[in-house]
Amino acid sequence: MISGFVGVGRYAEALSYFRDMLYDDKVQANEAILVCVLSACAHLGALDQGNWIHMYIGKNRISESSNISTALIDMYSKCGRIDSASRVFNGISRWDVHNFTSMISGLSIHGLGKEALCVFYQMLAENVKPNEVTCLGVLNACSHSGLVEEGSSIFYDMESLWGVAPKIEHYGCHIDLLGRAGYLEKAFQIVKTMPMKPDIVIWRSLLNGCRIHRDANLARCIINHVGQMNSQECNGGEVLLSNLYASLGIWEGVTEVRKLMGERRIESDPGCSWIEVDGVVHEFRVADKLHPRIIEVREKLNEILKRARVGGYVSNTMHVSFDLNEEEKEQAVAWHSEKLAVAFALMSTPPGTSIRIVKNLRTCEDCHLALKAISKVYGREIVVRDRSRFHTFKGGDCSCNDYW
């Protein structure tokens, strides 16, 4: 049952069944159950519950097998505690490919590209052969840290040195690496000559590069390719193009793309953030009205944003996809889900404690600016796991160094 819930993404119910199981003194968790519930904690960012499970393993003298160690590394990494993940990794007496891969992937999502490369080279020195997931993790690490030369070298060597033929996911990482670093034309040429048909993830990576470097002409060319694909697969590409047009003030382009989305019945995913407080996971959606304390949360958020502005925060409304006046645009970005989650955390947790949030979408520029200012004004560490990586805000700075 626990494995089934995890398999279909119903992580909270998996943890609920695990707690029910523990009430039965005759049943003790085995390796399979522990790996499943640690995976559920990882997906939810439920650090308190993941910590408890780790203590349960020690208290019941359950052997930390390779699978359990790998799951612990993954859980701590995805819950924002890369230091705890490193301690688990360093405590393993004999590493295997799964331990190395989990550690490399964890460092990758924290934007620690150079550290991920060090672990990768350590893996090679230990004569542990990387697999396709390892290569994916280290390519992601290079992408998030702008390590173009190192990432390109690994991409072109992976088949000849380690027998790993690049799949579409590896091409996606390499294209993302080049696009983020500004090599847009080179990335586009690779897409057009790659041995398999590019999927929407590839096109989104290119569009994201165009957004970062404000290249509307290439973005329009790319979206023409995207438009030839299945309408279900297009979801997200048009949103990126619309946002790019909005940032450049090309409102007729925004109107055209939004009309196309309406015709194809394409909807963008609503922003959603989760935060664990006192062992309970709370969910906030963009412009949320359903949380039982939402009125208090909104009032608190207004107060927070006023203090943040004193600390230097200025709203970034460049990607609001509607032709509104500046005040209306500021209101549109004010109710983003991670801002609501931060406001709830500041209401509900003691001063000085870290705030940990999981978000389903990429963090926008305005929220990134706001969270930097809030971390400085309130003296809090704020850790956000978005769709692709972690951001650790502390003292007015972010661990990504504004490269994401």
Side-chain angles (χ1 to χ4, degrees), residues 246-380:
S247 70
L248 298 172
I250 306 174
W251 298 111
E252 62 274 16
V254 174
T255 303
E256 180 184 333
V257 174
R258 290 282 168 176
K259 182 180 178 183
L260 178 65
M261 289 174 66
E263 290 171 355
R264 293 179 177 173
R265 297 184 179 178
I266 296 170
E267 296 180 1
S268 57
D269 294 328
C272 189
S273 294
W274 296 265
I275 182 168
E276 184 187 35
V277 176
D278 297 329
V280 178
V281 177
H282 296 261
E283 178 180 288
F284 291 92
R285 293 178 175 268
V286 61
D288 201 322
K289 295 180 181 178
L290 298 177
H291 191 276
R293 297 181 64 189
I294 193 61
I295 295 174
E296 296 173 72
V297 171
R298 287 191 171 211
E299 289 174 354
K300 182 67 175 178
L301 181 54
N302 283 330
E303 172 199 317
I304 291 166
L305 293 178
K306 285 178 184 176
R307 283 190 62 181
R309 290 186 184 100
V310 173
Y313 163 61
V314 178
S315 296
N316 182 337
T317 59
M318 131 181 344
H319 295 293
V320 175
S321 295
F322 301 97
D323 191 7
L324 308 172
N325 64 44
E326 196 59 30
E327 185 178 346
E328 290 170 325
K329 287 182 180 180
E330 287 185 14
Q331 192 62 50
V333 297
W335 305 125
H336 281 186
S337 63
E338 61 264 60
K339 290 195 184 85
L340 293 168
V342 166
F344 179 73
L346 289 172
M347 288 166 46
S348 310
T349 59
T353 55
S354 294
I355 296 170
R356 301 180 186 280
I357 295 167
V358 176
K359 188 179 180 185
N360 66 330
L361 302 178
R362 176 186 178 276
T363 296
C364 76
E365 283 83 350
D366 180 69
C367 287
H368 198 264
L369 288 169
L371 296 184
K372 285 201 291 186
I374 292 167
S375 73
K376 181 179 179 181
V377 170
Y378 284 86
R380 295 284 198 111

Side-chain angles (χ1 to χ4, degrees), residues 210-229:
C210 293
R211 179 195 59 78
I212 293 168
H213 300 285
R214 298 169 69 80
D215 189 336
N217 291 330
L218 183 58
R220 188 190 291 270
C221 182
I222 291 166
I223 207 68
N224 287 337
H225 284 272
V226 176
Q228 296 170 13
M229 299 172 67

Side-chain angles (χ1 to χ4, degrees), residues 124-141:
L124 299 179
E126 294 279 339
N127 291 316
V128 178
K129 187 178 178 182
N131 60 24
E132 60 184 49
V133 183
T134 318
C135 293
L136 200 60
V138 76
L139 286 171
N140 259 321

Side-chain angles (χ1 to χ4, degrees), residues 145-164:
S145 299
L147 302 172
V148 177
E149 187 175 333
E150 295 88 341
S152 294
S153 175
I154 290 168
F155 177 77
Y156 288 114
D157 288 344
M158 54 190 277
E159 186 166 15
S160 60
L161 293 183
W162 310 301
V164 179

Side-chain angles (χ1 to χ4, degrees), residues 56-75:
Y56 173 89
I57 291 168
K59 183 179 178 181
N60 290 275
R61 298 182 180 180
I62 298 170
S63 174
E64 287 194 21
S65 65
S66 173
N67 286 339
I68 289 177
S69 295
T70 298
L72 283 168
I73 293 167
D74 182 60
M75 182 275 292

Side-chain angles (χ1 to χ4, degrees), residues 20-73:
D20 290 344
M21 188 202 77
L22 294 178
Y23 286 125
D24 187 343
D25 293 335
K26 297 177 183 178
V27 181
Q28 186 181 42
N30 60 16
E31 178 185 296
I33 289 173
L34 291 168
V35 168
C36 283
V37 292
L38 286 169
S39 174
C41 291
H43 281 92
L44 290 171
L47 178 62
D48 290 347
Q49 294 176 72
N51 263 329
W52 188 92
I53 293 166
H54 194 182
M55 288 189 289
Y56 173 89
I57 291 168
K59 183 179 178 181
N60 290 275
R61 298 182 180 180
I62 298 170
S63 174
E64 287 194 21
S65 65
S66 173
N67 286 339
I68 289 177
S69 295
T70 298
L72 283 168
I73 293 167

